[in-house]
Amino acid sequence: MTISITTEFIRKTLYPIEVIDTPDILKQYAHDTLSCYDTNAAAILFPENTEQVQNIVQFAKKHHLKLIPSGGRTGMTGGATAIQHELIISMDKMNHILSINKTERLITCQPGVILQTLHEYVELHRLFYPITLAAKGSCQIGGTIATNAGGVHVVKYGNTRQWVAGLKIITGNGDYLDLNSRGLMKNNTGYALHELIIGSEGTLGIITEVTLRLTQLPKKPMTLLLSHDSLHHVMTCFNTTKQSITLLAFEFFDQSSLNQVMQHQTLQQPFQNEAPFYTLIEWEATPDSEELVFQLLEKGLSEGWVSDGVFSQNETQREQFWQYREHISEALRQDQPYKYDLSIPIASIPDFYEQVMPLFQQDSMRLQSAWFGHIGDGNIHLNVFQSTPNMQTEFYAKCEKLNQTLFAYVKKYGGSISAEHGIGLLKKPYLSFSRSASEVKLMQQIKTIFDPYHLLNPGKIFDMPSDDHHQNSAV
Ligand code: MLT
Ligand code: ZN
């Protein structure tokens, strides 16, 4: 039997958890940075601790309500978007750092801590949390774990997965699980269940406490900005620098991305001549760094795989270089692009580019593109847009039509349709290009074990065969 649950009833039953259902705030919390869905969240709940999250899940279970765990909402695939009248569980009030253990290099915090706040806190203790991304000022730790965020340092430090030592979660059944939350380095006692939660996009459990590994602060970085006349030359540059330097970052962008970011941030063209591609390369400075840079530049320029180059002489200059890369996504947003987040085996990127680029240029499409991303780990953020943003629905339909061919190329090259942004709602129709039917079936079975009533983040990543897609009865 389904009864209609009012906000008043939720508020009264779950007191003292704050519950908000004012239309403007509902709208704000009902989606991530992707705004192409008609959203309809029923209410937002603001728990403050694990016990309150457990109470919410048990309440939802009793009344057949659907839930969406929600962090900083900086995701790009609709992974935290409400389209089934779900209750949103915001982690905004679960934003405390609980402890730091310098001996074991561990930090324990609630999931709502902002990534940049965590960075600043650990740096005060002369330690380092290496996951960093453009949205660091607003994304929350819980969200970065739920999506296994990557960012600009993956080439040296790996993805979020490598840094999660343990978690506390509430499953969709309302059970509390302590998954190596003490952060033991060795704990071979069967399945590492916390690994399943990382990258599960809030579909298996709600993260209520996090233990992360930390490392030593890197030495002052040295940054190089280069231009290149082809992607093949970007590859030669990658292979050459990697031989003499331990890279911290190896990023790239094309002239189209640069044009957008220069206009948006009012920046100057970095070099006298435009070039098809640019790279931003960073590593820990050593006493012989400058010498190395000169050698590298000389070699690159004489062999032709570098067209122009400049290196940072101080921190201000370094920050200026990063502006060209870090603000691209924000600059592109005004054109409401269709976003791809592809993983392509690095050596195949130039070939992939040559195959895919003509798809946008054909007469029936006439679309513009911006290519940028973390090329050093094979992650390409291809953004597609129209020269004059209008008729958004037709534009999206065009892109969706292209997807079949584009994702077939991704598959052909052994890539993945999502590198670091996850599947959410946006990429769900294309999951079969990267995961087999048997894998999806297994994931659905795992989901049912953790979340037997399919309450958590319904419809994200894949649909559940048994779900009838009934909306929440919360009003
Ligand atoms: C980035 O690397 O800038 C982000 O992942 C954002 C994006 O892809 O738009
Ligand atoms: Zn990225």
Side-chain angles (χ1 to χ4, degrees):
M1 189 186 72
T2 325
I3 52 158
S4 241
I5 308 288
T6 63
T7 309
E8 222 25 70
F9 179 70
I10 301 172
R11 204 172 269 135
K12 225 172 107 194
T13 316
L14 291 174
Y15 182 83
I17 298 169
E18 188 182 0
V19 183
I20 292 183
D21 69 348
T22 45
D24 53 334
I25 301 182
L26 274 185
K27 225 176 150 160
Q28 184 193 336
Y29 276 78
H31 60 84
D32 56 18
T33 60
L34 197 67
S35 50
C36 61
Y37 299 101
D38 283 333
T39 59
N40 57 15
I44 311 148
L45 282 68
F46 294 87
E48 294 179 37
N49 52 49
T50 302
E51 196 189 332
Q52 290 187 351
V53 173
Q54 188 169 31
N55 291 342
I56 294 171
V57 178
Q58 279 164 351
F59 174 82
K61 182 172 149 184
K62 183 165 170 199
H63 297 288
H64 313 286
L65 302 173
K66 310 273 186 201
L67 302 170
I68 298 185
S70 173
R73 302 181 308 286
T74 58
M76 294 179 177
T77 60
T81 297
I83 54 169
Q84 297 187 41
H85 285 275
E86 297 93 337
L87 297 178
I88 293 183
I89 309 187
S90 165
M91 293 296 148
D92 287 1
K93 287 190 175 177
M94 293 183 64
N95 61 351
H96 298 287
I97 292 174
L98 304 173
S99 63
I100 185 159
N101 181 330
K102 289 171 83 167
T103 311
E104 292 166 46
R105 289 191 172 163
L106 292 172
I107 183 161
T108 300
C109 69
Q110 291 185 301
V113 171
I114 302 287
L115 178 58
Q116 191 167 343
T117 309
L118 187 108
H119 284 161
E120 286 163 7
Y121 183 85
V122 301
E123 275 179 45
L124 288 177
H125 293 268
R126 309 277 318 136
L127 286 166
F128 185 59
Y129 180 64
I131 301 298
T132 188
L133 34 136
K136 58 181 176 284
S138 40
C139 69
Q140 297 180 2
I141 293 296
T144 63
I145 295 172
T147 55
N148 185 26
V152 300
H153 284 157
V154 172
V155 72
K156 165 138 195 219
Y157 294 104
N159 297 290
T160 298
R161 183 177 299 285
Q162 274 77 13
W163 298 89
V164 179
L167 296 171
K168 288 184 181 172
I169 68 158
I170 302 296
T171 67
N173 194 39
D175 297 325
Y176 163 75
L177 299 183
D178 181 329
L179 307 175
N180 198 44
S181 76
R182 184 55 192 78
L184 298 176
M185 279 186 92
K186 289 189 164 181
N187 185 359
N188 280 350
T189 49
Y191 304 155
L193 295 177
H194 72 281
E195 289 282 355
L196 273 177
I197 305 302
I198 305 163
S200 68
E201 300 188 33
T203 61
L204 300 181
I206 302 176
I207 299 167
T208 63
E209 204 177 290
V210 173
T211 301
L212 299 169
R213 298 193 197 290
L214 304 171
T215 187
Q216 69 201 51
L217 273 168
K219 294 191 196 81
K220 244 177 66 199
M222 178 122 190
T223 312
L224 190 56
L225 183 62
L226 303 175
S227 67
H228 313 266
D229 63 11
S230 75
L231 267 183
H232 289 285
H233 284 159
V234 170
M235 285 300 123
T236 311
C237 180
F238 178 61
N239 290 329
T240 315
T241 44
K242 196 160 74 125
Q243 273 165 24
S244 47
I245 286 164
T246 304
L247 294 167
L248 279 174
F250 193 97
E251 301 283 305
F252 94 117
F253 45 91
D254 65 359
Q255 184 65 44
S256 166
S257 309
L258 180 64
N259 289 342
Q260 298 267 359
V261 84
M262 285 193 303
Q263 196 191 16
H264 189 258
Q265 297 293 112
T266 341
L267 300 173
Q268 297 297 313
Q269 175 84 25
F271 303 111
Q272 208 176 353
N273 296 322
E274 289 191 354
F277 299 102
Y278 300 85
T279 51
L280 187 74
I281 308 168
E282 193 156 272
W283 67 95
E284 288 179 69
T286 51
D288 58 353
S289 274
E290 284 207 18
E291 182 56 34
L292 253 170
V293 171
F294 282 123
Q295 281 171 11
L296 213 89
L297 270 175
E298 210 170 52
K299 190 172 159 64
L301 289 164
S302 67
E303 293 179 4
W305 44 267
V306 170
S307 304
D308 210 341
V310 57
F311 69 91
S312 63
Q313 311 269 10
N314 51 49
E315 187 54 25
T316 318
Q317 213 174 21
R318 179 179 164 256
E319 280 170 14
Q320 278 167 2
F321 290 179
W322 272 101
Q323 287 199 27
Y324 291 113
R325 169 61 188 91
E326 281 211 309
H327 294 285
I328 295 174
S329 185
E330 186 187 327
L332 289 166
R333 207 163 293 156
Q334 63 203 3
D335 288 333
Q336 297 178 275
Y338 190 85
K339 295 179 86 70
Y340 297 93
D341 163 45
L342 309 170
S343 206
I344 304 291
I346 305 175
S348 300
I349 291 175
D351 283 357
F352 176 78
Y353 178 84
E354 274 157 31
Q355 303 259 13
V356 166
M357 206 46 180
L359 296 177
F360 308 122
Q361 292 161 338
Q362 56 190 312
D363 279 350
S364 57
M365 292 294 162
R366 290 182 189 282
L367 296 170
Q368 298 197 20
S369 63
W371 295 66
F372 65 101
H374 321 287
I375 198 165
D377 61 52
N379 184 181
I380 296 169
H381 295 311
L382 163 61
N383 280 216
V384 181
F385 51 97
Q386 324 177 75
S387 34
T388 30
N390 60 2
M391 298 192 299
Q392 210 54 19
T393 319
E394 283 85 345
F395 165 61
Y396 262 62
K398 261 188 187 180
C399 296
E400 277 162 13
K401 206 168 141 208
L402 269 184
N403 283 347
Q404 298 299 329
T405 319
L406 196 149
F407 289 142
Y409 280 126
V410 172
K411 192 171 176 174
K412 178 180 146 196
Y413 284 99
S416 165
I417 63 157
S418 174
E420 61 174 5
H421 293 170
I423 296 297
L425 290 171
L426 186 71
K427 303 289 160 59
K428 181 169 70 171
Y430 311 103
L431 188 59
S432 64
F433 284 94
S434 289
R435 306 300 291 261
S436 68
S438 312
E439 281 181 289
V440 174
K441 193 168 167 207
L442 207 54
M443 289 198 279
Q444 288 163 332
Q445 287 167 345
I446 291 169
K447 158 100 177 155
T448 300
I449 294 168
F450 275 84
D451 179 20
Y453 307 99
H454 306 168
L455 308 179
L456 295 181
N457 216 4
K460 310 298 167 27
I461 311 181
F462 42 74
D463 288 320
M464 295 299 288
S466 55
D467 277 355
D468 52 10
H469 302 291
H470 275 332
Q471 297 190 331
N472 252 359
S473 52
V475 288

